[in-house]
Amino acid sequence: MDESWKSSWQRARNHEGVTRGARAFCALAAVLAWGWWAGWQAELMPVLLGVIASALTETDDSWRGRLRAQLLALGCFGLMALAVWATVAWPWALMGVLALSALAFTVLGALGERYRAIAFGSLVLFIYAALAAHTSRAGAAQATPLMLAGAAWYGLVSVAWAGAMPRAPVRFRLARLYAVLGEYLRLKALLLEPVRDVDLERRRMALALHNGRVVDALNAAKESLMSRMGRGQPPAWLQAAMHQYLAAQDMHERVSSSHEHYDLLATAFFHSDVLYRCQRVLTLLGEQSLKLSLAIQQQSLPQHGGMTSRAIEDLQAAIAHQDGIAADLVGTQGAASMARPLRSLHALGHNLAAMAGVFAGALAGDAAAQGAADHALLDREPRSLRDAWGRVRAQLHAQSPWLRHSVRLALSLLAGFALMQATSDPHGYWILLTIVFVSQPQYAATQTRLLQRAKGTAIGLAMGWAAIQLFPGALVQAALLVFAGAVFFGARHTRYVLATAAVTTLLLLGFHQMGMAQGVILARLLDTAAGCLIAAAASWLVLPYWQSRQWPQLAAQVLQTQALYLRAILAQYYSGKRDHLDYRLARRNAHNADAALSNSYSAMLKEPRRVRGNVEVVANFLRLSHTQLNYLSALGAQRGQEGAEPVDARAQEMASELLASLQQLAGQLAHAQQQTGVRVTRAPAVAQVLQEFGVPAAPEPTHSLMAAQLALVGKVFPQLQEQARQWAEPQHRPVAPL
């Protein structure tokens, strides 16, 4: 029983939601304790609102980064409070300042996650300050210092927490990374099932969609590590975490690689168990990944029984048996037909063995095993005010999602403020808060969030009313208030309905403590409904960011980044394998573009039918582009461990033509986004080159493994061109408002 409690405590201590909730619990409990001790119950609500606004600006960061972010947030909060004080006596002036603030702060979201959080928290504090001011400068002057004090207090707690416990967020992100990587391994294993009538296209689509989650987890882990990298030698725990991150990157490249059409392998080895053995190795590696995820989270040693090494030995024995069968066929008609699948089977076996070796290093957690590996990471944060301004200025055009979102949010807030004034609603600022919380850059995300907000509000009002009736004591209600705040911050990134219910309960209990609960329940319900309706209408009518209009640009980025990835791979074949920053960046950019296209497709399915365009074309392009990336990843996985690998003339010319064709189609798609009637070339240059090399629709064995892999890419590329051509046809263009 003691071990069970200890294990549960370790899981809770290293879970990001629990630690975030515990941080909020400490800050809120201290505020309430001080207020009760000093007899300042009436002043508690502004301080609590300041704590909430400050907590909304928090992102995963080191204590130094958190301190800088907190100082910037306090500066923005002070500016917002001053704006409220100056205009609160004139409602329409206050409305104008709110709209301008929404325009300016939302565009700052293009700078990165830290700045998006600060902009969001600043808008929330603006509304909180206006709500607490009660339409008078005196009220604003009284409430503003209390809010800023609450914000500063939470900032102090957050900075101290980040300094005292820097490892937990890194562990959480690495654990999540290996968890989603384990699921990717499981999905990839399904492709190797050698049975008839398997829907490989559906399985490939599931793999492409899940790849977006893996890429998101990789990016989150990278940012968590990057924020804690100082100028000197990183501590041992951070080096070990970096080793596990780089191992996950290597694993991702290897598991996302494909060495052959799986239906061809299934046909060639239908009467053998060799593909089942490949599938077993992948499945066991997936289980190891999940065990490693749990071990990282619990700070324990992963359990490893040696089953994977035995499965690899069995696989190698099965491949050797197939070699013996092929040797017996030498000189017969069947020998030529078996050469290609057997070569691909050998490449698959080598890749699985190498993948197990990478996992063994990650399981050992020994950073020294990497030797002189390049641990450099690319910092995507703006490095100067000039750099920041350049990024903001780049968003000042009609197609920018951040500019569109800022205009949409500003107009929504104007509509909400006008409704509040027209109805003389004393709690009308909740309309504005609802708009700020549910409005998202994408239509699908806005619709999902507003439904969650409405449901959570209804649940929270019921819970708050029940708490007031069941626990009339002020001290018990204060304890429930603190608990509700902790639940809100712990769940707001993962369970938004629960988080909304918790914060609604918090506000209801807070108003009851102040003696202002009369009519709050109905007002909160109606104001939430009004805010949701305004946000829903704006997401449809005001500069909607339909995914169908962004698809050509996203598809162009996929092809362009894959071309750069192929170029980086070729350089490695000439110079020898080296996972330096430039190579890892090219690989990551290719997967980021693939994930962006995957996420866009998922969002497109949630948009109205009349604005989606030809969803089937988008789905086919996504599946084919991910397959093409798999073939390129196989080239990356085959890079030699030592020295330079020769690239024959045939492979070199094929690669050059592939690079040119990828970049040409990328340019055509990018041009198609701005102009209608653009013609996408049907006849691919690469197909002609393959035919010149004697590689027809069913390629014959090629001179090198690289040439064979490039031939596979060359067979996918014409299909991508065909999908792009179909999208460019006028009858397939979506009828969507700007």
Side-chain angles (χ1 to χ4, degrees):
M1 190 66 172
D2 291 339
E3 290 297 324
S4 176
W5 276 103
K6 183 179 179 181
S7 177
S8 300
W9 164 246
Q10 286 179 339
R11 282 197 301 270
R13 187 179 62 179
N14 292 295
H15 192 280
E16 189 177 38
V18 174
T19 55
R20 191 186 296 115
R23 210 159 40 239
F25 183 89
C26 292
L28 293 171
V31 168
L32 284 175
W34 176 264
W36 278 75
W37 178 79
W40 289 356
Q41 285 87 351
E43 289 81 7
L44 280 178
M45 183 54 71
V47 179
L48 292 176
L49 293 178
V51 169
I52 292 173
S54 180
L56 291 174
T57 68
E58 190 176 42
T59 56
D60 176 38
D61 215 333
S62 65
W63 72 267
R64 293 182 182 87
R66 182 60 190 146
L67 179 59
R68 289 192 296 268
Q70 181 61 27
L71 292 175
L72 179 58
L74 285 175
C76 294
F77 286 1
L79 184 63
M80 293 293 95
L82 180 62
V84 171
W85 176 84
T87 60
V88 69
W90 300 280
W92 298 108
L94 181 66
M95 179 182 72
V97 172
L98 176 60
L100 290 175
S101 300
L103 275 171
F105 276 102
T106 306
V107 175
L108 291 179
L111 298 179
E113 182 184 4
R114 175 188 296 173
Y115 301 94
R116 285 195 290 273
I118 292 174
F120 178 69
S122 298
L123 288 177
V124 170
L125 185 123
F126 186 105
I127 299 172
Y128 282 164
L131 173 64
H134 298 296
T135 71
S136 69
R137 283 190 171 184
Q142 182 180 6
T144 295
L146 296 173
M147 284 191 180
L148 294 179
W153 163 242
Y154 185 83
L156 181 62
V157 171
S158 178
V159 172
W161 195 291
M165 288 179 283
R167 305 184 188 187
V170 176
R171 283 197 295 263
F172 176 78
R173 280 163 176 73
L174 283 175
R176 181 177 179 274
L177 169 57
Y178 276 98
V180 296
L181 189 59
E183 177 64 12
Y184 190 89
L185 282 157
R186 187 191 69 82
L187 292 173
K188 190 61 180 282
L190 294 177
L191 292 176
L192 290 171
E193 193 171 20
V195 296
R196 295 187 179 93
D197 301 326
V198 172
D199 191 352
L200 285 178
E201 305 307 324
R202 169 177 275 186
R203 294 185 179 184
R204 279 195 175 278
M205 177 59 73
L207 196 68
L209 293 175
H210 188 73
N211 187 61
R213 303 183 188 98
V214 178
V215 172
D216 290 342
L218 280 165
N219 290 336
K222 176 252 179 184
E223 292 301 325
S224 187
L225 291 165
M226 186 74 226
S227 65
R228 288 161 178 81
M229 286 289 182
R231 295 183 179 180
Q233 183 73 10
W237 72 267
L238 192 56
Q239 292 183 43
M242 175 63 72
H243 170 58
Q244 290 175 330
Y245 166 72
L246 293 178
Q249 271 203 337
D250 195 357
M251 280 292 303
H252 184 223
E253 180 176 55
R254 292 185 179 280
V255 72
S256 62
S257 62
S258 295
H259 297 83
E260 186 52 88
H261 298 294
Y262 292 111
D263 51 357
L264 185 145
L265 291 178
T267 301
F269 302 109
F270 184 77
H271 298 289
S272 169
D273 66 348
V274 66
L275 287 185
Y276 280 115
R277 296 193 181 277
C278 292
Q279 188 181 46
R280 174 169 168 74
V281 172
L282 270 176
T283 302
L284 289 173
L285 287 173
E287 292 175 0
Q288 281 191 15
S289 184
L290 294 174
K291 290 179 181 178
L292 179 56
S293 170
L294 188 61
I296 291 172
Q297 196 168 8
Q298 295 181 351
Q299 303 179 65
S300 62
L301 293 176
Q303 300 297 321
H304 180 52
M307 295 179 63
T308 305
S309 59
R310 290 192 293 272
I312 290 177
E313 291 175 2
D314 293 343
L315 170 62
Q316 291 171 343
I319 294 176
H321 180 70
Q322 292 299 317
D323 288 338
I325 295 176
D328 294 338
L329 294 176
V330 173
T332 66
Q333 187 176 2
S337 62
M338 285 298 297
R340 175 183 166 192
L342 190 59
R343 180 183 53 201
S344 298
L345 181 63
H346 274 281
L348 177 58
H350 288 313
N351 191 37
L352 290 174
M355 204 182 303
V358 174
F359 245 128
L363 288 168
D366 184 10
Q370 273 197 316
D374 184 1
H375 285 187
L377 296 175
L378 178 65
D379 187 2
R380 298 184 183 273
E381 292 287 326
R383 300 182 179 181
S384 63
L385 289 176
R386 184 174 183 179
D387 184 17
W389 168 241
R391 297 189 190 190
V392 171
R393 188 172 57 184
Q395 300 297 320
L396 303 180
H397 59 86
Q399 297 303 318
S400 166
W402 292 109
L403 182 63
R404 285 174 168 249
H405 179 47
S406 66
V407 172
R408 191 183 311 120
L409 179 59
L411 292 178
S412 299
L413 290 172
L414 288 175
F417 200 98
L419 177 62
M420 180 183 72
Q421 292 296 312
T423 58
S424 300
D425 184 358
H427 301 292
Y429 285 100
W430 284 342
I431 300 175
L432 307 183
L433 282 173
T434 299
I435 292 172
V436 170
F437 273 94
V438 304
S439 296
Q440 304 294 316
Q442 292 183 352
Y443 170 88
T446 300
Q447 301 301 312
T448 300
R449 183 58 60 87
L450 65 88
L451 291 174
Q452 292 173 337
R453 183 81 178 181
K455 184 178 179 180
T457 298
I459 296 173
L461 290 173
M463 291 171 58
W465 177 85
I468 291 172
Q469 300 301 316
L470 294 174
F471 307 103
L475 187 60
V476 177
Q477 289 184 12
L480 291 175
L481 187 151
V482 171
F483 179 74
V487 172
F488 168 65
F489 287 107
R492 73 186 186 95
H493 289 299
T494 54
R495 299 182 178 180
Y496 193 73
V497 174
L498 175 61
T500 303
V503 76
T504 302
T505 303
L506 181 152
L507 292 175
L508 194 59
L509 290 172
F511 276 102
H512 187 265
Q513 294 265 303
M514 297 169 60
M516 301 169 57
Q518 188 67 29
V520 167
I521 293 180
L522 182 60
R524 176 78 174 181
L525 194 61
L526 293 177
D527 290 342
T528 298
C532 288
L533 288 174
I534 291 172
S539 67
W540 169 260
L541 299 173
V542 182
L543 297 176
Y545 193 70
W546 303 123
Q547 296 304 307
S548 58
R549 289 191 171 273
Q550 317 314 317
W551 181 83
Q553 184 63 38
L554 293 175
Q557 290 176 0
V558 164
L559 297 173
Q560 183 66 33
T561 54
Q562 287 185 9
L564 296 176
Y565 182 30
L566 175 57
R567 193 183 301 277
I569 292 172
L570 293 173
Q572 295 271 304
Y573 272 82
Y574 283 108
S575 62
K577 179 178 180 179
R578 232 183 111 219
D579 282 335
H580 50 61
L581 178 60
D582 290 341
Y583 177 80
R584 287 188 280 111
L585 184 60
R587 178 175 63 191
R588 188 55 37 216
N589 286 340
H591 280 283
N592 282 338
D594 182 79
L597 191 66
S598 171
N599 295 335
S600 176
Y601 171 72
S602 298
M604 186 184 296
L605 295 179
K606 299 177 183 178
E607 293 179 345
R609 290 184 179 275
R610 76 179 189 90
V611 300
R612 292 181 193 172
N614 194 332
V615 179
E616 184 179 355
V617 168
V618 176
N620 290 337
F621 190 96
L622 171 61
R623 176 177 49 78
L624 290 168
S625 66
H626 186 70
T627 301
Q628 183 168 268
L629 180 58
N630 292 162
Y631 292 146
L632 294 177
S633 296
L635 281 174
Q638 292 165 7
R639 291 172 297 146
Q641 299 290 338
E642 298 179 1
E645 292 193 1
V647 180
D648 57 34
R650 182 180 193 183
Q652 184 176 0
E653 189 168 352
M654 291 170 68
S656 299
E657 287 295 335
L658 276 171
L659 285 170
S661 299
L662 286 168
Q663 292 171 339
Q664 179 185 3
L665 183 56
Q668 291 175 341
L669 283 168
H671 192 53
Q673 179 149 355
Q674 282 97 20
Q675 299 184 14
T676 59
V678 174
R679 180 174 176 266
V680 175
T681 308
R682 180 192 293 266
V686 67
Q688 299 172 2
V689 172
L690 292 177
Q691 290 176 4
E692 292 173 4
F693 283 130
V695 185
E700 296 297 326
T702 47
H703 295 301
S704 68
L705 194 58
M706 171 180 268
Q709 206 66 39
L710 290 172
L712 290 173
V713 178
K715 293 304 171 184
V716 174
F717 183 77
Q719 300 176 60
L720 282 173
Q721 281 190 311
E722 176 62 21
Q723 298 303 316
R725 184 192 64 78
Q726 290 185 26
W727 179 269
E729 291 177 354
Q731 63 267 29
H732 288 154
R733 289 184 174 272
V735 181
L738 289 175

mmCIF file of all heavy atoms in Angstrom, residues 66 79 114 216 254 278 282 342 374 387 424 443 519 532 552 562 586 633 659 727:
data_model
loop_
_atom_site.group_PDB
_atom_site.id
_atom_site.type_symbol
_atom_site.label_atom_id
_atom_site.label_comp_id
_atom_site.label_asym_id
_atom_site.label_seq_id
_atom_site.Cartn_x
_atom_site.Cartn_y
_atom_site.Cartn_z
ATOM 1 N N ARG A 66 10.931 33.198 -16.761
ATOM 2 C CA ARG A 66 9.672 33.541 -16.095
ATOM 3 C C ARG A 66 9.743 34.920 -15.457
ATOM 4 O O ARG A 66 8.767 35.670 -15.473
ATOM 5 C CB ARG A 66 9.349 32.477 -15.044
ATOM 6 C CG ARG A 66 8.048 32.698 -14.309
ATOM 7 C CD ARG A 66 6.871 32.710 -15.251
ATOM 8 N NE ARG A 66 5.646 33.139 -14.607
ATOM 9 C CZ ARG A 66 4.686 33.839 -15.187
ATOM 10 N NH1 ARG A 66 4.820 34.215 -16.446
ATOM 11 N NH2 ARG A 66 3.599 34.176 -14.545
ATOM 12 N N LEU A 79 -0.137 49.241 -17.839
ATOM 13 C CA LEU A 79 -0.641 50.036 -18.964
ATOM 14 C C LEU A 79 -2.140 49.847 -19.130
ATOM 15 O O LEU A 79 -2.883 50.825 -19.347
ATOM 16 C CB LEU A 79 0.094 49.617 -20.240
ATOM 17 C CG LEU A 79 -0.221 50.401 -21.515
ATOM 18 C CD1 LEU A 79 0.188 51.860 -21.354
ATOM 19 C CD2 LEU A 79 0.482 49.781 -22.716
ATOM 20 N N ARG A 114 4.972 32.677 -25.362
ATOM 21 C CA ARG A 114 5.104 33.545 -24.191
ATOM 22 C C ARG A 114 4.346 34.846 -24.400
ATOM 23 O O ARG A 114 3.635 35.324 -23.505
ATOM 24 C CB ARG A 114 6.582 33.832 -23.939
ATOM 25 C CG ARG A 114 6.850 34.811 -22.818
ATOM 26 C CD ARG A 114 8.314 35.196 -22.770
ATOM 27 N NE ARG A 114 9.163 34.045 -22.463
ATOM 28 C CZ ARG A 114 10.493 34.097 -22.501
ATOM 29 N NH1 ARG A 114 11.104 35.205 -22.871
ATOM 30 N NH2 ARG A 114 11.201 33.026 -22.183
ATOM 31 N N ASP A 216 4.112 17.885 -32.485
ATOM 32 C CA ASP A 216 3.771 18.857 -31.434
ATOM 33 C C ASP A 216 4.494 18.513 -30.126
ATOM 34 O O ASP A 216 4.987 19.404 -29.427
ATOM 35 C CB ASP A 216 2.261 18.883 -31.204
ATOM 36 C CG ASP A 216 1.505 19.510 -32.362
ATOM 37 O OD1 ASP A 216 2.144 20.219 -33.168
ATOM 38 O OD2 ASP A 216 0.283 19.288 -32.478
ATOM 39 N N ARG A 254 13.473 7.229 -37.819
ATOM 40 C CA ARG A 254 13.551 5.818 -38.196
ATOM 41 C C ARG A 254 12.169 5.175 -38.295
ATOM 42 O O ARG A 254 11.893 4.412 -39.218
ATOM 43 C CB ARG A 254 14.421 5.061 -37.197
ATOM 44 C CG ARG A 254 15.893 5.457 -37.257
ATOM 45 C CD ARG A 254 16.757 4.606 -36.355
ATOM 46 N NE ARG A 254 18.156 4.986 -36.451
ATOM 47 C CZ ARG A 254 18.977 4.604 -37.431
ATOM 48 N NH1 ARG A 254 18.528 3.822 -38.391
ATOM 49 N NH2 ARG A 254 20.231 4.996 -37.454
ATOM 50 N N CYS A 278 8.700 -8.597 -38.012
ATOM 51 C CA CYS A 278 8.942 -7.144 -38.073
ATOM 52 C C CYS A 278 7.891 -6.400 -37.258
ATOM 53 O O CYS A 278 8.196 -5.454 -36.511
ATOM 54 C CB CYS A 278 8.922 -6.667 -39.520
ATOM 55 S SG CYS A 278 10.297 -7.246 -40.546
ATOM 56 N N LEU A 282 8.372 -3.914 -33.861
ATOM 57 C CA LEU A 282 7.807 -2.568 -33.750
ATOM 58 C C LEU A 282 6.859 -2.457 -32.564
ATOM 59 O O LEU A 282 6.872 -1.455 -31.836
ATOM 60 C CB LEU A 282 7.067 -2.203 -35.041
ATOM 61 C CG LEU A 282 7.877 -1.522 -36.141
ATOM 62 C CD1 LEU A 282 7.013 -1.334 -37.379
ATOM 63 C CD2 LEU A 282 8.418 -0.175 -35.673
ATOM 64 N N LEU A 342 13.360 -8.410 -51.218
ATOM 65 C CA LEU A 342 14.344 -8.913 -50.269
ATOM 66 C C LEU A 342 15.306 -7.804 -49.846
ATOM 67 O O LEU A 342 15.686 -7.710 -48.669
ATOM 68 C CB LEU A 342 15.108 -10.081 -50.889
ATOM 69 C CG LEU A 342 16.004 -10.874 -49.932
ATOM 70 C CD1 LEU A 342 15.180 -11.468 -48.795
ATOM 71 C CD2 LEU A 342 16.739 -11.980 -50.687
ATOM 72 N N ASP A 374 26.099 16.872 -31.282
ATOM 73 C CA ASP A 374 25.741 18.292 -31.312
ATOM 74 C C ASP A 374 24.431 18.477 -30.556
ATOM 75 O O ASP A 374 23.382 18.000 -30.976
ATOM 76 C CB ASP A 374 25.602 18.732 -32.767
ATOM 77 C CG ASP A 374 25.324 20.229 -32.880
ATOM 78 O OD1 ASP A 374 25.265 20.895 -31.829
ATOM 79 O OD2 ASP A 374 25.165 20.714 -34.012
ATOM 80 N N ASP A 387 14.067 42.633 -34.300
ATOM 81 C CA ASP A 387 13.590 41.328 -34.766
ATOM 82 C C ASP A 387 12.105 41.164 -34.461
ATOM 83 O O ASP A 387 11.319 40.688 -35.301
ATOM 84 C CB ASP A 387 14.407 40.231 -34.093
ATOM 85 C CG ASP A 387 14.031 38.837 -34.593
ATOM 86 O OD1 ASP A 387 13.401 38.734 -35.653
ATOM 87 O OD2 ASP A 387 14.373 37.859 -33.908
ATOM 88 N N SER A 424 -27.871 47.676 -20.073
ATOM 89 C CA SER A 424 -27.511 48.169 -18.727
ATOM 90 C C SER A 424 -27.256 47.013 -17.765
ATOM 91 O O SER A 424 -27.663 47.037 -16.599
ATOM 92 C CB SER A 424 -28.623 49.074 -18.179
ATOM 93 O OG SER A 424 -28.827 50.185 -19.022
ATOM 94 N N TYR A 443 -11.816 28.794 -37.049
ATOM 95 C CA TYR A 443 -13.258 28.637 -36.877
ATOM 96 C C TYR A 443 -13.572 27.393 -36.058
ATOM 97 O O TYR A 443 -14.362 27.436 -35.103
ATOM 98 C CB TYR A 443 -13.920 28.545 -38.256
ATOM 99 C CG TYR A 443 -15.382 28.151 -38.225
ATOM 100 C CD1 TYR A 443 -16.375 29.121 -38.095
ATOM 101 C CD2 TYR A 443 -15.765 26.818 -38.329
ATOM 102 C CE1 TYR A 443 -17.715 28.763 -38.066
ATOM 103 C CE2 TYR A 443 -17.098 26.451 -38.304
ATOM 104 C CZ TYR A 443 -18.075 27.420 -38.170
ATOM 105 O OH TYR A 443 -19.397 27.062 -38.126
ATOM 106 N N GLY A 519 -28.657 37.428 -7.931
ATOM 107 C CA GLY A 519 -28.839 37.541 -9.381
ATOM 108 C C GLY A 519 -27.626 37.160 -10.203
ATOM 109 O O GLY A 519 -27.656 37.262 -11.430
ATOM 110 N N CYS A 532 -20.949 33.752 -26.215
ATOM 111 C CA CYS A 532 -20.741 32.631 -27.136
ATOM 112 C C CYS A 532 -21.390 32.885 -28.488
ATOM 113 O O CYS A 532 -20.809 32.584 -29.545
ATOM 114 C CB CYS A 532 -21.281 31.337 -26.524
ATOM 115 S SG CYS A 532 -20.290 30.676 -25.170
ATOM 116 N N PRO A 552 -3.301 25.558 -50.217
ATOM 117 C CA PRO A 552 -2.211 25.596 -51.207
ATOM 118 C C PRO A 552 -0.880 26.042 -50.614
ATOM 119 O O PRO A 552 0.169 25.475 -50.932
ATOM 120 C CB PRO A 552 -2.729 26.585 -52.260
ATOM 121 C CG PRO A 552 -4.206 26.540 -52.124
ATOM 122 C CD PRO A 552 -4.465 26.348 -50.664
ATOM 123 N N GLN A 562 10.374 19.431 -47.763
ATOM 124 C CA GLN A 562 10.849 18.099 -48.122
ATOM 125 C C GLN A 562 12.029 18.176 -49.082
ATOM 126 O O GLN A 562 12.958 17.356 -49.008
ATOM 127 C CB GLN A 562 9.707 17.281 -48.727
ATOM 128 C CG GLN A 562 8.677 16.825 -47.708
ATOM 129 C CD GLN A 562 7.621 15.908 -48.293
ATOM 130 O OE1 GLN A 562 7.727 15.471 -49.437
ATOM 131 N NE2 GLN A 562 6.592 15.603 -47.519
ATOM 132 N N ALA A 586 16.492 20.845 -40.756
ATOM 133 C CA ALA A 586 15.839 20.501 -42.023
ATOM 134 C C ALA A 586 14.824 19.378 -41.820
ATOM 135 O O ALA A 586 13.704 19.420 -42.355
ATOM 136 C CB ALA A 586 16.892 20.086 -43.048
ATOM 137 N N SER A 633 12.509 9.866 -45.186
ATOM 138 C CA SER A 633 13.026 9.517 -43.864
ATOM 139 C C SER A 633 13.832 8.226 -43.912
ATOM 140 O O SER A 633 14.807 8.064 -43.161
ATOM 141 C CB SER A 633 11.875 9.379 -42.866
ATOM 142 O OG SER A 633 11.214 10.611 -42.680
ATOM 143 N N LEU A 659 14.580 17.169 -56.624
ATOM 144 C CA LEU A 659 14.671 18.483 -55.979
ATOM 145 C C LEU A 659 14.035 19.557 -56.846
ATOM 146 O O LEU A 659 13.248 20.382 -56.365
ATOM 147 C CB LEU A 659 16.137 18.821 -55.702
ATOM 148 C CG LEU A 659 16.808 18.096 -54.534
ATOM 149 C CD1 LEU A 659 18.304 18.354 -54.539
ATOM 150 C CD2 LEU A 659 16.208 18.571 -53.223
ATOM 151 N N TRP A 727 -7.043 20.179 -57.501
ATOM 152 C CA TRP A 727 -7.430 21.283 -56.620
ATOM 153 C C TRP A 727 -7.451 22.601 -57.388
ATOM 154 O O TRP A 727 -8.295 23.465 -57.134
ATOM 155 C CB TRP A 727 -6.471 21.375 -55.444
ATOM 156 C CG TRP A 727 -6.803 22.506 -54.522
ATOM 157 C CD1 TRP A 727 -6.329 23.783 -54.582
ATOM 158 C CD2 TRP A 727 -7.707 22.472 -53.421
ATOM 159 N NE1 TRP A 727 -6.866 24.542 -53.578
ATOM 160 C CE2 TRP A 727 -7.717 23.765 -52.851
ATOM 161 C CE3 TRP A 727 -8.502 21.477 -52.847
ATOM 162 C CZ2 TRP A 727 -8.498 24.075 -51.739
ATOM 163 C CZ3 TRP A 727 -9.266 21.789 -51.741
ATOM 164 C CH2 TRP A 727 -9.263 23.075 -51.203
#
